[in-house]
Amino acid sequence: MYENYVLDKAYFVKVIADLAAIVEEQRDYLTGLDSAIGDGDHGLNLSIGFREVTKNLGEWQKENLTILMKKIGMALLGKVGGSAGPLYGSLFMKMGEPAAGKDAVDFNEFYNMLKVGIEAVEMRGKAVVGEKTMVDALRPALDTLAGAIEEGVEPKTAFEKMLDSAKSGRDSTIPLIAKKGRAMRLGERAIGHVDPGAASSCIILEMFYKNMP
Amino acid sequence: MYENYVLDKAYFVKVIADLAAIVEEQRDYLTGLDSAIGDGDHGLNLSIGFREVTKNLGEWQKENLTILMKKIGMALLGKVGGSAGPLYGSLFMKMGEPAAGKDAVDFNEFYNMLKVGIEAVEMRGKAVVGEKTMVDALRPALDTLAGAIEEGVEPKTAFEKMLDSAKSGRDSTIPLIAKKGRAMRLGERAIGHVDPGAASSCIILEMFYKNMP
Amino acid sequence: MKRLINDPYDVVEEMLEGYVKAHEQYVKLLEHDGRVVVSKKAPVENKVGIIIGGGSGHEPLFLGYVGEGFADAAVIGNINTSPSPEPCYNAVKAVDAGKGCLYMYGNYAGDVLNFDMGAEMASMDGIRVETVLVTDDVVSSKEIKDRRGVAGDFYVFKIAAAKAALGADLDEVKAAAEKANANTRSMGVALSSATLPSTGKPIFEMGEEDMEIGMGIHGEPGVRRGKIEPADKVIDQIMEHILPDLPYESGDEVSVLVNSLGATPLLDLHICYRRVAQILKEKGIKVHKAFVGPFATSMDMAGMSVTLLKLDDELKELLDYPCDTPYFVQK
Amino acid sequence: MKRLINDPYDVVEEMLEGYVKAHEQYVKLLEHDGRVVVSKKAPVENKVGIIIGGGSGHEPLFLGYVGEGFADAAVIGNINTSPSPEPCYNAVKAVDAGKGCLYMYGNYAGDVLNFDMGAEMASMDGIRVETVLVTDDVVSSKEIKDRRGVAGDFYVFKIAAAKAALGADLDEVKAAAEKANANTRSMGVALSSATLPSTGKPIFEMGEEDMEIGMGIHGEPGVRRGKIEPADKVIDQIMEHILPDLPYESGDEVSVLVNSLGATPLLDLHICYRRVAQILKEKGIKVHKAFVGPFATSMDMAGMSVTLLKLDDELKELLDYPCDTPYFVQK
Ligand SMILES: Nc1ncnc2c1ncn2[C@@H]1O[C@H](COP(=O)(O)OP(=O)(O)O)[C@@H](O)[C@H]1O
Ligand SMILES: Nc1ncnc2c1ncn2[C@@H]1O[C@H](COP(=O)(O)OP(=O)(O)O)[C@@H](O)[C@H]1O
Ligand SMILES: [Mg+2]
Ligand SMILES: [Mg+2]
Ligand SMILES: [Mg+2]
Ligand SMILES: [Mg+2]
């Protein structure tokens, strides 16, 4: 089943284009979350990065998936800065590797792309679940997807479970004290607020889900 | 009649004490007027000056009227600064001269005190009626008092007329463009506002009036 | 906006106490007059005394420029209020080295009244005191002699002080100050009022979208209120007023001062400077040296001003002359 | 509060364009990387390269301290946001003179991520880059290594830069920076939020009577919100936190930095400094040198911080070492 479920370059390009659009739309929402427990720039930072991506996407889509994702990641790394730049930069740069220079991937390969990308985020940021970061959304999401694949769940449904899991993970950050990032200096005052990076991670996964065939 | 109408040191001391009290009370009103067309400090400036006067009044009342008024004027000159400091400083310093070292004055001498004081304001500031300054209150007031004395009006009534005239003069500043002081840079924007110095001049004259026997 | 003060009646004295402690290597208060900030080097032998002053609330103006190669003394008034005559006089007594003194301050009625009385007192002691009023604010009046002084104070003071430091006599120093003033033009905009220490409230209210064009540094209203605009548009308007006023023309060499009125950050000022530089380049006017920062403020007022000083060889040399004060050091 | 900018997405680039024009005698942008401000004297022969950096919106930090005797380069991020790795790397390439480089910046997760990647890239070119994180903010964590850097940046950068200027090697320069950091403690209060250029709105709302204690310079919330108090009370609280933390004790000699977060005027800062000086005197702590002004800001935020640096002979010499940059000149 998974070998026949193909995600081609057009899919990835569409996901990225939609992502760029939704980042603009959600910019002030994300920035608002970051105002509460950070420095109020998460939405703007992503917007700066994805504007750069949008500017070049027409050009870059000529490349294979590995290079396309790498260029996207490099643009985020180069333009976003802060914590989100290196973290999301690594996510996208690394995601391309399992695509191995191809123009399309099957669902197994797609899973590997996500796995490698999310692990790169963990490696870079050294955060684990429960520290009130994007990892609280990404790690459970990846585990859920792995489980669903183990059970042989149909691709789009499997991804839906993944997304649900990401959202629960995002919401699980609300009662937490932060142990990583800017919010860690806040102590108890961070309690009661969603982590902005967990929220943006859900938005990213949602775009992958929405565009699945 | 005027020779028998005596104003003694106790009267002047009481006027000054009341004046100091009312300046505190009206500080924010005067400052408000100065905010509209000046730099918002007229009330505070006078308050700083009269606080200094209050601090020393107990000591100074041992002196004769000439020295008492001079000390009051010097304190205003030294503490108020701005335009009001030299102008009101001159008013009080000069007022003492016609008292000629005495401890009480009759109404003719009192008129001379006001005359010399107000002329000193005019000399210092070089303003004439119609330029939207304290002179718009002081000059007509003095002229009215002179007229009333000419007509032989009873002292307190004469001074009442003087005060009315000062108030009309104050209100006459409302439609004016300023030709002196900070407000002169405002041009047409000064129209519609009372001149703060004209307002404080009325307050000063009012204290002289209220305490008259 | 909120202020960090104690009793509003004590702000000036407490500031001065802090100031002379913080910068004790440079300045002291006169022992017998707590409203005169004097350079520790004053009186300087064989030098004309340079005395500046005015109301408080414009820091680093005036006291920040007292030190070597700049002013010998600053006379300190209450907030937004000219000092009284006595400290003006005491400043002369403290810094005069036998060559006379020059008073320099912005052209405001209150200051003229008080400094003139100070000068009269000094002349009774046989000390010659001359005065130069700064009149750089182009929008404050058509007549130059009626214009008020704003950030241009900095240039006029700096030039005259350098001339004095070079050993010139009082007439020459005064002439240099007058030449600098004649070559200086400024205009500013305010985006918010300053907060008065006495009331804790803004001097005046401004709408969310409003901007005051031609605002002075005491919170006096400007020539008109307009809608707030992008930085480039604001600078375009300012330059349209300043450039033809002298005029500044192709081939001229100038110094530019982009001044913060207090709360406007260096970030914004440099965006503004960028546009000023573009316009000057278009017009063929060369920039010799630029200054960007809070040089003459109105406490926590948001806003900025642009000042141009047209240079010749003499003014250039005097502008570049080294000095060392708490708020302006030049090698 | 209102800002004077154009398109919010262009603020950093436009500021930099204005900055290098205004201060062209001191600095330039790297030709191939518009986010690196380099001293015109760099690379300086036989000198360790001093590289500082971080988000924009803290001016004059960081770029204002690039010049002779201070930093060789500043790496510039977006507003409140660490720069990305490439300019960190490009700065090394531009200023390394064969003796290696020292990165110094405030201890923030984002900055560490990006600068570390820059250092990795440099090490692949065989250039040694060491890092010292500034951790002066006493209220940001109990653990010193978790504390963030605020105005203490100024002291740590200044000391290390002077050590480098004296010809020390990378290990010695790093040791000097670490010693300065170990001897530095800060704490601040905010009275208002900064206005974000992107939204034109404050990052957060504060009540008319509120004050945020321990606020960082990015607008991160502080440790607690309290009622606004008179300056002396605020300073008393700050000093109660700072003094025992190192501790600073009778007989010590310190330098004091009273820093404006942006909109708080010099008037208020000197009232605050007055109280700091009183307390230090009571405690028998001597002040070698004081700095009062906007050294590390958060755009138009109202508020201030106090920083103490405990000195020994070496630190004193390094602090006093002359330098010449657009926003800090010392003779
Ligand atoms: N070490 C880390 N590991 C994973 N995620 C992190 C880490 N540090 C911060 N984050 C994420 O980054 C988000 C903040 O991103 P952003 O606001 O763009 O950066 P900055 O904190 O530098 O302003 C946080 O909400 C958090 O999810
Ligand atoms: N030349 C002048 N002659 C008479 N009165 C004047 C003159 N200039 C100013 N004033 C008066 O002074 C008042 C302002 O006083 P104040 O606010 O204390 O001084 P400043 O204008 O220096 O702040 C004005 O309202 C006006 O009545
Ligand atoms: Mg953030
Ligand atoms: Mg006034
Ligand atoms: Mg005034
Ligand atoms: Mg950030």
Side-chain angles (χ1 to χ4, degrees):
Chain A
M1 167 173 61
Y2 296 146
E3 298 75 40
N4 301 330
Y5 192 86
V6 173
L7 296 167
D8 60 8
K9 207 160 56 180
Y11 163 77
F12 285 97
V13 169
K14 181 74 180 5
V15 167
I16 298 302
D18 284 4
L19 192 47
I22 193 126
V23 160
E24 285 301 303
E25 205 185 294
Q26 300 292 314
R27 188 191 86 174
D28 293 348
Y29 158 70
L30 291 171
T31 288
L33 295 181
D34 198 30
S35 292
I37 57 167
D39 56 351
D41 60 4
H42 189 56
L44 184 73
N45 290 346
L46 294 183
S47 154
I48 292 172
F50 278 100
R51 283 186 180 198
E52 178 71 14
V53 170
T54 303
K55 223 164 56 189
N56 296 291
L57 197 56
E59 187 62 30
W60 295 345
Q61 57 181 287
K62 295 175 196 149
E63 310 285 355
N64 67 48
L65 279 182
T66 303
I67 295 182
L68 171 64
M69 297 308 271
K70 185 166 175 195
K71 293 213 171 209
I72 292 164
M74 294 274 285
L76 296 179
L77 181 67
K79 288 285 165 181
V80 175
S83 303
L87 294 170
Y88 284 140
S90 302
L91 177 74
F92 285 96
M93 281 191 317
K94 287 285 169 186
M95 265 183 87
E97 288 181 6
K102 294 187 288 185
D103 277 348
V105 291
D106 67 23
F107 197 68
N108 283 322
E109 290 165 325
F110 181 52
Y111 166 74
N112 273 327
M113 289 173 75
L114 289 164
K115 179 166 183 291
V116 170
I118 291 169
E119 282 170 1
V121 171
E122 292 174 326
M123 279 239 304
R124 259 290 143 224
K126 296 185 188 68
V128 296
V129 168
E131 299 191 320
K132 200 168 185 128
T133 72
M134 56 178 70
V135 169
D136 288 347
L138 295 173
R139 168 47 57 192
L142 185 67
D143 290 346
T144 300
L145 184 59
I149 288 174
E150 198 118 304
E151 291 168 28
V153 176
E154 180 263 325
K156 192 149 184 185
T157 313
F159 210 92
E160 192 177 350
K161 283 176 187 285
M162 176 185 200
L163 185 59
D164 286 343
S165 201
K167 288 179 180 170
S168 317
R170 173 195 66 196
D171 296 342
S172 77
T173 63
I174 298 178
L176 295 179
I177 289 179
K179 298 267 187 253
K180 284 269 156 30
R182 246 172 240 292
M184 72 184 261
R185 271 74 179 236
L186 273 187
E188 310 251 305
R189 287 182 74 176
I191 292 174
H193 298 280
V194 173
D195 175 64
S200 59
S201 288
C202 286
I203 291 174
I204 294 174
L205 292 179
E206 190 149 17
M207 291 306 107
F208 279 105
Y209 169 69
K210 277 208 177 147
N211 285 290
M212 284 175 74
Chain B
M1 168 174 57
Y2 296 146
E3 297 76 42
N4 301 329
Y5 192 87
V6 173
L7 296 167
D8 60 8
K9 207 159 60 180
Y11 163 77
F12 285 97
V13 170
K14 181 71 180 7
V15 167
I16 298 302
D18 284 4
L19 191 47
I22 193 123
V23 160
E24 286 301 303
E25 205 185 293
Q26 299 291 314
R27 188 191 86 174
D28 293 349
Y29 158 70
L30 292 171
T31 288
L33 295 181
D34 198 32
S35 293
I37 57 168
D39 55 352
D41 61 5
H42 189 56
L44 184 74
N45 290 348
L46 293 183
S47 155
I48 292 172
F50 277 99
R51 284 187 178 198
E52 178 71 13
V53 170
T54 304
K55 224 165 54 191
N56 295 290
L57 197 55
E59 188 61 31
W60 295 347
Q61 57 181 286
K62 295 174 195 149
E63 310 284 357
N64 65 49
L65 281 181
T66 303
I67 296 182
L68 171 65
M69 297 308 273
K70 186 170 174 189
K71 293 214 170 207
I72 291 163
M74 295 272 287
L76 296 179
L77 180 67
K79 289 285 164 179
V80 175
S83 303
L87 294 170
Y88 284 141
S90 302
L91 177 74
F92 286 96
M93 283 192 314
K94 286 287 171 184
M95 263 183 89
E97 288 181 7
K102 292 187 288 184
D103 276 349
V105 291
D106 68 22
F107 197 69
N108 283 322
E109 290 166 326
F110 182 52
Y111 166 75
N112 273 326
M113 288 172 76
L114 289 165
K115 180 167 182 290
V116 170
I118 291 170
E119 282 171 2
V121 170
E122 291 175 327
M123 278 237 304
R124 259 289 143 227
K126 298 186 187 68
V128 295
V129 169
E131 298 190 321
K132 200 167 186 132
T133 72
M134 56 179 70
V135 169
D136 288 347
L138 295 172
R139 168 47 58 190
L142 185 67
D143 291 345
T144 300
L145 184 59
I149 288 174
E150 198 119 306
E151 289 168 28
V153 177
E154 181 264 323
K156 192 148 185 188
T157 313
F159 210 94
E160 192 179 349
K161 283 175 187 288
M162 176 185 200
L163 186 59
D164 286 344
S165 199
K167 288 179 179 169
S168 317
R170 174 196 65 199
D171 296 341
S172 77
T173 63
I174 299 177
L176 296 179
I177 289 179
K179 298 269 185 249
K180 285 268 156 30
R182 245 172 240 292
M184 71 184 261
R185 271 73 178 235
L186 274 186
E188 311 251 306
R189 287 180 74 175
I191 293 174
H193 299 280
V194 173
D195 175 64
S200 59
S201 288
C202 286
I203 291 174
I204 295 174
L205 293 179
E206 190 149 16
M207 291 305 108
F208 278 106
Y209 170 68
K210 275 207 179 146
N211 285 289
M212 284 175 74
Chain C
M1 198 118 68
K2 298 162 199 157
R3 303 288 301 271
L4 270 172
I5 59 170
N6 299 302
D7 185 333
Y9 282 83
D10 297 335
V11 286
V12 176
E13 264 64 40
E14 290 187 355
M15 165 188 72
L16 291 173
E17 189 187 329
Y19 189 85
V20 295
K21 272 206 188 103
H23 311 291
E24 60 189 356
Q25 70 272 41
Y26 290 106
V27 289
K28 59 172 196 271
L29 290 176
L30 273 192
E31 251 169 65
H32 54 291
D33 193 331
R35 289 302 186 96
V36 185
V37 174
V38 217
S39 167
K40 286 217 164 153
K41 312 252 158 159
V44 181
E45 217 180 311
N46 203 31
K47 191 181 87 67
V48 169
I50 298 292
I51 299 169
I52 58 180
S56 292
H58 311 302
E59 294 71 26
L61 198 67
F62 300 84
L63 74 189
Y65 304 132
V66 175
E68 223 177 328
F70 216 149
D72 296 291
V75 193
I76 311 297
N78 293 323
I79 304 290
N80 280 348
T81 299
S82 153
S84 55
E86 207 170 323
C88 298
Y89 165 66
N90 286 333
V92 173
K93 298 290 282 182
V95 312
D96 179 55
K99 283 185 91 172
C101 294
L102 183 64
Y103 279 161
M104 289 182 287
Y105 51 90
N107 180 28
Y108 298 93
D111 294 88
V112 175
L113 281 172
N114 288 280
F115 274 96
D116 277 359
M117 289 171 83
E120 281 167 32
M121 290 159 84
S123 83
M124 290 192 275
D125 288 351
I127 306 176
R128 193 176 148 217
V129 177
E130 291 291 327
T131 297
V132 174
L133 301 176
V134 183
T135 57
D136 56 314
D137 187 359
V138 294
V139 296
S140 57
S141 176
K142 284 230 169 66
E143 293 260 14
I144 291 185
K145 72 163 186 30
D146 288 339
R147 291 179 178 176
R148 63 192 169 201
V150 286
D153 280 3
F154 170 75
Y155 281 134
V156 178
F157 301 169
K158 172 73 183 78
I159 299 283
K163 190 78 188 178
L166 288 167
D169 67 25
L170 183 50
D171 290 321
E172 293 165 334
V173 174
K174 185 179 177 187
E178 282 170 342
K179 183 171 162 187
N181 186 53
N183 283 359
T184 300
R185 295 292 185 278
S186 300
M187 178 172 159
V189 295
L191 307 182
S192 80
S193 168
T195 308
L196 276 184
S198 54
T199 59
K201 300 262 172 301
I203 303 184
F204 53 88
E205 291 296 340
M206 272 177 76
E208 267 301 307
E209 304 284 300
D210 288 347
M211 167 172 95
E212 189 87 18
I213 300 168
M215 168 75 61
I217 58 170
H218 300 83
E220 308 98 322
V223 287
R224 66 185 176 86
R225 191 162 281 194
K227 289 285 143 221
I228 190 165
E229 291 190 278
D232 284 1
K233 286 254 168 78
V234 170
I235 295 299
D236 288 352
Q237 279 191 51
I238 288 178
M239 296 299 279
E240 269 164 32
H241 276 86
I242 293 180
L243 289 173
D245 196 90
L246 187 66
Y248 299 88
E249 291 170 318
S250 178
D252 284 351
E253 194 166 359
V254 298
S255 177
V256 183
L257 167 57
V258 172
N259 175 56
S260 172
L261 290 177
T264 291
L266 287 180
L267 184 84
D268 304 34
L269 294 185
H270 283 100
I271 291 174
C272 292
Y273 180 76
R274 168 189 150 276
R275 184 73 191 135
V276 172
Q278 284 173 353
I279 293 171
L280 291 175
K281 196 171 177 197
E282 273 166 31
K283 304 276 180 198
I285 299 168
K286 195 181 153 206
V287 178
H288 166 64
K289 201 173 216 171
F291 302 95
V292 181
F295 283 79
T297 68
S298 192
M299 297 186 283
D300 56 356
M301 182 184 279
M304 55 78 66
S305 62
V306 178
T307 304
L308 296 186
L309 164 64
K310 181 170 154 178
L311 297 165
D312 60 14
D313 288 343
E314 185 198 13
L315 291 177
K316 214 165 18 179
E317 184 199 346
L318 296 173
L319 182 64
D320 291 346
Y321 190 82
C323 62
D324 192 11
T325 81
Y327 287 90
F328 190 69
V329 185
Q330 196 168 256
K331 290 206 174 184
Chain D
M1 197 117 69
K2 299 161 199 157
R3 303 289 301 271
L4 270 172
I5 59 172
N6 298 303
D7 185 332
Y9 283 83
D10 297 334
V11 285
V12 176
E13 263 64 39
E14 290 187 355
M15 166 189 71
L16 290 173
E17 190 187 329
Y19 190 85
V20 296
K21 272 207 187 103
H23 311 289
E24 61 189 357
Q25 69 272 42
Y26 290 106
V27 289
K28 60 171 195 268
L29 290 176
L30 274 192
E31 250 168 67
H32 54 290
D33 192 331
R35 289 303 187 97
V36 185
V37 174
V38 217
S39 166
K40 285 216 163 157
K41 312 253 157 156
V44 181
E45 215 181 313
N46 203 31
K47 192 181 87 67
V48 169
I50 298 293
I51 298 169
I52 59 180
S56 292
H58 310 301
E59 294 70 27
L61 199 68
F62 299 86
L63 73 189
Y65 304 132
V66 175
E68 221 178 329
F70 217 149
D72 297 292
V75 194
I76 311 296
N78 293 323
I79 302 290
N80 281 346
T81 300
S82 153
S84 55
E86 206 169 322
C88 298
Y89 165 67
N90 285 333
V92 173
K93 297 291 284 182
V95 312
D96 180 56
K99 283 184 92 171
C101 294
L102 183 64
Y103 279 162
M104 289 183 287
Y105 50 91
N107 180 28
Y108 298 93
D111 294 271
V112 175
L113 281 172
N114 288 282
F115 275 96
D116 278 358
M117 289 171 83
E120 281 166 32
M121 290 157 84
S123 83
M124 290 191 275
D125 288 350
I127 306 176
R128 191 174 150 220
V129 177
E130 291 291 327
T131 297
V132 173
L133 301 176
V134 182
T135 57
D136 56 315
D137 187 1
V138 294
V139 297
S140 57
S141 176
K142 283 229 169 65
E143 293 260 13
I144 291 184
K145 70 164 188 30
D146 288 339
R147 291 179 177 175
R148 63 192 168 201
V150 285
D153 280 2
F154 170 75
Y155 280 134
V156 178
F157 300 171
K158 171 74 184 75
I159 299 282
K163 190 79 187 178
L166 287 167
D169 67 25
L170 182 51
D171 290 321
E172 293 165 335
V173 173
K174 185 180 178 187
E178 282 170 342
K179 183 169 161 191
N181 186 53
N183 283 358
T184 300
R185 296 292 185 277
S186 300
M187 177 171 160
V189 295
L191 307 183
S192 81
S193 167
T195 309
L196 276 183
S198 54
T199 59
K201 300 262 173 294
I203 302 184
F204 53 88
E205 291 295 340
M206 272 177 76
E208 267 300 306
E209 304 284 300
D210 287 348
M211 167 172 95
E212 190 86 18
I213 300 168
M215 167 76 60
I217 58 170
H218 301 84
E220 308 97 323
V223 287
R224 67 186 176 84
R225 189 162 282 194
K227 289 283 143 220
I228 189 165
E229 292 190 279
D232 284 2
K233 288 254 168 76
V234 170
I235 295 300
D236 289 351
Q237 279 191 51
I238 289 178
M239 295 300 279
E240 270 163 33
H241 277 86
I242 294 180
L243 288 173
D245 196 89
L246 188 64
Y248 299 88
E249 291 169 318
S250 178
D252 284 351
E253 194 166 359
V254 298
S255 177
V256 183
L257 166 58
V258 172
N259 175 55
S260 172
L261 291 177
T264 291
L266 286 181
L267 184 84
D268 303 34
L269 294 185
H270 283 99
I271 291 174
C272 292
Y273 179 76
R274 170 188 148 276
R275 184 74 191 135
V276 171
Q278 284 173 353
I279 294 171
L280 292 175
K281 198 175 175 192
E282 274 165 32
K283 304 274 180 201
I285 299 168
K286 197 182 152 206
V287 178
H288 166 65
K289 200 173 217 170
F291 301 95
V292 181
F295 284 77
T297 68
S298 191
M299 297 187 283
D300 56 356
M301 181 184 279
M304 54 80 64
S305 62
V306 178
T307 303
L308 295 185
L309 164 64
K310 181 170 154 178
L311 296 166
D312 60 14
D313 287 344
E314 186 199 13
L315 291 177
K316 214 162 23 175
E317 185 200 345
L318 296 173
L319 182 63
D320 292 347
Y321 189 81
C323 62
D324 193 12
T325 80
Y327 287 90
F328 191 69
V329 185
Q330 196 167 253
K331 288 205 174 187

